[in-house]
Amino acid sequence: MGHLFALGWLILLIAAINIEAKKKPSINTSTKCLGNVMRVDVGPLGGKLLEVGVVINNSAILLTPSLASQCGFSMKIDHLGNAMIYTSLQNCFAQNKDEAFTTAFQLRFHGSQLAEDEIYQMAETCHYTAWACREIICDHNYMEASECSRTQRGHVPVYMISGFMAHMSIKSFRMTTITFFTPAEKVMKVIDAQRSGHGIANTPKRLVLRSPKTSPETYTQNVAGVPMLVVKTSTVFEKKWLVTRIDAAAACPIQEGSVFFTADTITWYLPRRIDPLISFGQPKLLEVYMGIDGQRLDAAEIEARRYSLTVTDTYIISVIPIGAVGGYYKSHVQDGQYHISYTVEPMIEMFWTEDATHEGTRYKVFFPITTPLLPRPPQVTDRTIAAERVFKLELGYFCPDVALVNITFPSEVLSVTECRARGINVLEHMSPNSSYKVFTLEVPFTDPVVQQTSQEGATVYSLHLVFGLVVLDDFAPFSHAAYVQATLENIVPPSVSGGCDYQNFYVLVKYGTQGLNFQTAVGKQILTQSLAQQYGFAENGTHFSFVVPFFDPAVELSSIKSRLDVTLRNLETNTIIKEFSKPIFFPSAETLHCFPNGTMTALAVKLESVPGLNPSQLTLRDPTCGPTYSDERYAYFVFTGNSCGTTRKFLPNMMMYENEISLPDELGAKRASNSEEPEYELKVSCYYDINTTYAVAFQPRQRRNEPYAENAKGQLQVAMRLALDDSYSVFHRVEDYPITKYLQQPLYFEVELLTPASPEVSVELENCWATLDQDRTSRPRWNLIINGCANPVDQYQVIFHPVWTDARVQYPSHFKRFEVKMFAFAQDQEDLSRQLFVHCDVMICDARNPLGGVCNGQCMNPDNGNKGQRRAVSDEDKFNHVSLGPIRIS
């Protein structure tokens, strides 16, 4: 634009840096021309930090907050991580060619420290020809007035020196002084005003004045009951014998006093006549526009969004429903409770003329509005259907900037990842327009965190839990407790069980909770009253029993086995409720042998009634006792009277040892669900005479040495905690995490062996290190203790603290204490705002007989030659591992 901008590069105190930029960024950008303002949209940023600069002569200048307000730039980032960069077309760095205004930007995206920053340059151009004689912009951080050279509404004031007078362009004049009316007059040299943060520049046709809203040269004036921030100036131009002066003023509304809130709406009052900007006569309002984020809205859009714009004799009134399209919600935590606020940025643009001069003024105000905090207690909706045996909960509603961190149950605290790993389903759901989110939780009734109590005929399942949440932008934690319960009627179906001896089948039928509402079939016969009497039927209101002889027609009989089938059918639907099949295999002298030394052998033969049986899967009562040999026809077992679940029973003058051959429970249940074949069960019994006495001789031998225990690595109960100071008397609680520590603060760690409570063992620290992630194997890592010694290459080495007996410490050998300087984590790290996790490998040693390594004592050989490297740990090494965190560095 050819500004005669007097603010030199030395005054900026910002070095111009030659940079090499990419042609196209990985993050989307777009540009909108909004009249006398340009808007560049960048994003979503995806968690990256955005640094904005401008490019002049292939060099980049960083836009600091003070430079941005002085030169006409502002930026905001919404709840979805989208950045909006606003700039006046007449900013300090704009190039103007024939009403085309070009600004070159440099965007630097800061990601993780493991990746290089992404730098991108872009030159954007907007055309604007409809300049009013006066253009006023009220942006987030500055006020701008652009005045044409014809001031006082119609003429250029020219003062004659030495009798010479002329009308000339201000391009050839030199700005010398500027007077601020605060409202008292305050005269400053132009260069001093620029050093104070004001932007002052002139073109051949216009004077541009820009002041930060926080400038001491601004003042507050009440206009029609609305407080407004005002800057009024008069700038003197000189050239040889000529002196001229141009007045410039801007007035911008303040939220307090101009905005009013109800439970549902925001109402913004803007004076129709802004007195500090009116010079002569009565202004005539010609145009009024409403917009959002600098972009005008037509009448249809305003109606669709349920906005309203009303122009009265005194005010321009804008009404916006809270939660309407165009704004967004933001989460907050106040006194541990969840709150939200709604932010929207309406724009009002006016154009008026004054009847005395007929010169126009275009007035544009960007006005971000944020509601007071609105309490939004989280709500838990119980969508559990007891018959599904799963608690189904819905927690909401939250803004998108809230994350679920963990869930606290009465017995344990589980992260979201840990919940999913054990079958507790935790999901996050976003609304279609991304305006809110909810979390769903599904906890099976069988999970240990679910409590069960029995009532008459029913089981009550209850779940106590506390949701741990955090507002991501602020890392502000909050929680919400919930209690739900479900009652499930104990509907027990009828069941059939039975046994047998060498003469009869004994059958027991239990009714279940529905009573006797079924029909019983024995073999292929219905159990009638006469048949029941024949079988010795007995009933007591909850169950009945009967006895079927082996040679009854209902029994399928062969030379080596008998089988009885019992079926229960529903009386109404005739569907089968329960089927029971009891095959009995008769062991013969060829299939069962009982030896005098207590050894027994049995041969289980596959039957034609169970063609799908795999004999190799058969076991004794102890499912670990399988066959010694098997093929597709039989399985051969060898066992003793005191193994494999064999039971012993005393009989008159005899002792009976008994076992069973069958499929293991899990295989039997799986086979029963997939096959209609009967169960396979073979009972084997051996009888021994108990009246015979045998004499047995033995000779003892003296033990050669006393037994002893060797040092070894194993899993014991070890805990690590963080003390508040070096007295190790008060510690941070689990619910305190994540905790924040500063670089000046040391960290005091204590590792304790909780079990066993023996003075003859000691705890030793093998290796300790810190990571940025909870995963102990993640990178980067900081080695703190290596092979029992402080890291020799660390500038801030670990300090070990002695442990003495006191009221809390019974055995000092069960404790290790050490101190870490926070500076140890700051080396070569640009961003210190991060979370840390500390991990230790712990060894448990025999305090009486250490065998070497760290068991000799903490750091007995500091010059171990490791040079700051941890020794390699093989797969055979076993440690007790403890971790602590997260700890935030600030």
Side-chain angles (χ1 to χ4, degrees), residues 167-364:
H167 292 276
M168 299 180 65
S169 168
I170 63 171
K171 171 70 175 178
S172 58
F173 283 76
R174 179 174 61 89
M175 294 182 294
T176 57
T177 61
I178 181 170
T179 301
F180 291 91
F181 301 93
T182 62
E185 293 187 9
K186 184 177 181 180
V187 181
M188 303 175 66
K189 292 182 179 180
V190 170
I191 190 66
D192 292 334
Q194 291 168 335
R195 288 192 179 115
S196 298
H198 299 278
I200 307 171
N202 67 312
T203 71
K205 298 180 180 180
R206 307 186 73 85
L207 168 68
V208 180
L209 168 70
R210 192 178 300 108
S211 292
K213 287 187 175 181
T214 57
S215 169
E217 283 72 47
T218 61
Y219 66 94
T220 302
Q221 180 176 337
N222 192 296
V223 179
V226 175
M228 303 193 76
L229 200 62
V230 179
V231 59
K232 297 185 71 172
T233 65
S234 181
T235 305
V236 174
F237 293 79
E238 295 181 2
K239 180 181 179 181
K240 293 184 179 180
W241 303 279
L242 298 178
V243 177
T244 186
R245 186 182 72 220
I246 298 180
D247 298 332
C252 298
I254 300 172
Q255 178 169 323
E256 184 177 355
S258 63
V259 178
F260 299 90
F261 303 97
T262 67
D264 303 313
T265 61
I266 301 170
T267 303
W268 172 29
Y269 291 86
L270 180 67
R272 174 172 176 165
R273 174 191 173 100
I274 304 176
D275 292 336
L277 305 180
I278 306 300
S279 300
F280 302 100
Q282 183 68 24
K284 183 178 181 180
L285 183 62
L286 302 178
E287 300 173 9
V288 178
Y289 303 97
M290 183 180 185
I292 291 293
D293 295 327
Q295 194 160 1
R296 290 180 183 177
L297 300 176
D298 58 31
E301 290 176 306
I302 292 175
E303 182 179 1
R305 298 186 182 205
R306 297 186 295 119
Y307 300 169
S308 72
L309 178 66
T310 305
V311 180
T312 68
D313 293 339
T314 308
Y315 300 105
I316 297 173
I317 305 171
S318 305
V319 179
I320 300 175
I322 294 178
V325 175
Y328 62 90
Y329 285 105
K330 171 75 176 67
S331 298
H332 307 269
V333 178
Q334 186 178 67
D335 299 328
Q337 302 300 313
Y338 182 65
H339 292 70
I340 62 172
S341 64
Y342 174 74
T343 297
V344 65
E345 186 173 309
M347 178 202 73
I348 293 295
E349 184 178 343
M350 297 189 290
F351 181 76
W352 71 78
T353 60
E354 297 179 34
D355 54 10
T357 63
H358 302 288
E359 292 180 346
T361 297
R362 187 171 303 281
Y363 180 85
K364 180 182 292 186

Side-chain angles (χ1 to χ4, degrees), residues 182 188 209 260 364 413 445 463 489 549 570 611 834:
T182 62
M188 303 175 66
L209 168 70
F260 299 90
K364 180 182 292 186
V413 180
F445 285 0
L463 181 62
E489 183 180 355
N570 188 291
R834 55 183 66 249

Side-chain angles (χ1 to χ4, degrees), residues 791-813:
N791 185 357
V793 300
D794 193 349
Q795 180 181 357
Y796 305 97
Q797 290 194 359
V798 167
I799 300 173
F800 293 101
H801 290 282
V803 183
W804 311 105
T805 303
D806 57 24
R808 193 173 67 86
V809 178
Q810 183 178 5
Y811 304 120
S813 63

